[in-house]
Amino acid sequence: MYKVIDGKALAAKMREDIKQKVQASGKNIGLAVVLVGDDPASQVYVRNKIKACGEVGIKSYAYRLDKDATQASVEELVKSLAEDNNVHGILVQLPMPPHIDSKKVLSHIPCKKDVDGFCAENIGKLCMNEDCLVACTPNGVMQMLASEGIELKGKNAVVVGRSNIVGKPMAMLLTNADATVTVCHSKTADLKQVCLNADVLVAAIGKAKFITADMVKEGAVVIDVGMDRDENGKLCGDVDFENVKEKCSYISPVPGGVGPMTITMLMYNTYLAAVRS
Ligand code: NAP
């Protein structure tokens, strides 16, 4: 019998805890969110992040720039936020319009305000298992595993996806937790066979229902990071949930799994950045 890991409930519980921490800090904690252009999905993400700030008592500063904003104007904004003492965390919503060099923009976020945990210093520290601001989505996955008391030590963990924002930091966190980790990607030979060896399988691919029941070991823990659309345009994950669930000990759903945890970890990172400033 499988158990569904309720990311929404865990996120709500953690946000309550973060709210208490923010209050107890006695600080006016601020998060700046920069959105360039009018990508509908990005607008929803930014709205949700601003709403979450309100829930936990963090002040949000939203900067919405026109889709034609120049590279220089976006860089100037981020540089000014880097200097602003009211701002403890800076989040630049990706993707940005194609004419913007996002790497250059992100390079102006100081490591201590990098609440997304994307900069080379934070990634390097994570790799060395040192204290840092950890990328929100994989950190959210770790909280979900911990909330269910899932033991990782000595387990075979497979991460499908090697992006800098999900797959790679996920693999590092699982390694730091003493799992034996395999990272897969689009060039992996015999993906099915690798996945079948997973006690813990994390899917971060971006392809609807890509992980099918024949790829999952009996009793595995399956975490679905994907946020995709099915053939009817409905939100779904990278895992074929309905067919895979019966094989699992634990499985996370989409929606209501990793998604709410990502924003919660962003709130937590902003709190951490503020108390360490
Ligand atoms: P990404 O940058 O596009 O990376 C996708 C990864 O999947 C790549 O490493 C790619 O391999 C691999 N891949 C693609 N096709 C594959 C195949 N056929 N077999 C094996 N591996 C394959 O995506 P991302 O940013 O990591 O996001 C992944 C998914 O998570 C997306 O659905 C995204 O929307 C979702 N997401 C959700 C949250 C959340 O809060 N829930 C946050 C971030 C992302 P190559 O490297 O070889 O190309």
Side-chain angles (χ1 to χ4, degrees), residues 45 137 160-167 184-188 191 203-207 210 224-228 238 258-260 262:
Y45 295 145
T137 300
V160 189
R162 59 173 165 181
S163 70
N164 290 337
I165 64 170
V166 188
C184 299
H185 45 77
S186 65
K187 313 291 184 294
T188 297
L191 181 68
I205 309 159
K207 290 194 169 155
F210 182 85
D224 191 350
V225 177
M227 293 222 294
D228 315 307
D238 288 345
V258 177
T262 297

Side-chain angles (χ1 to χ4, degrees), residues 7 137-138 140-141 144 223-225 252-254 256-263:
T137 300
V141 171
M144 291 166 80
I223 303 289
D224 191 350
V225 177
S252 76
V254 178
V258 177
M261 288 303 294
T262 297
I263 298 185

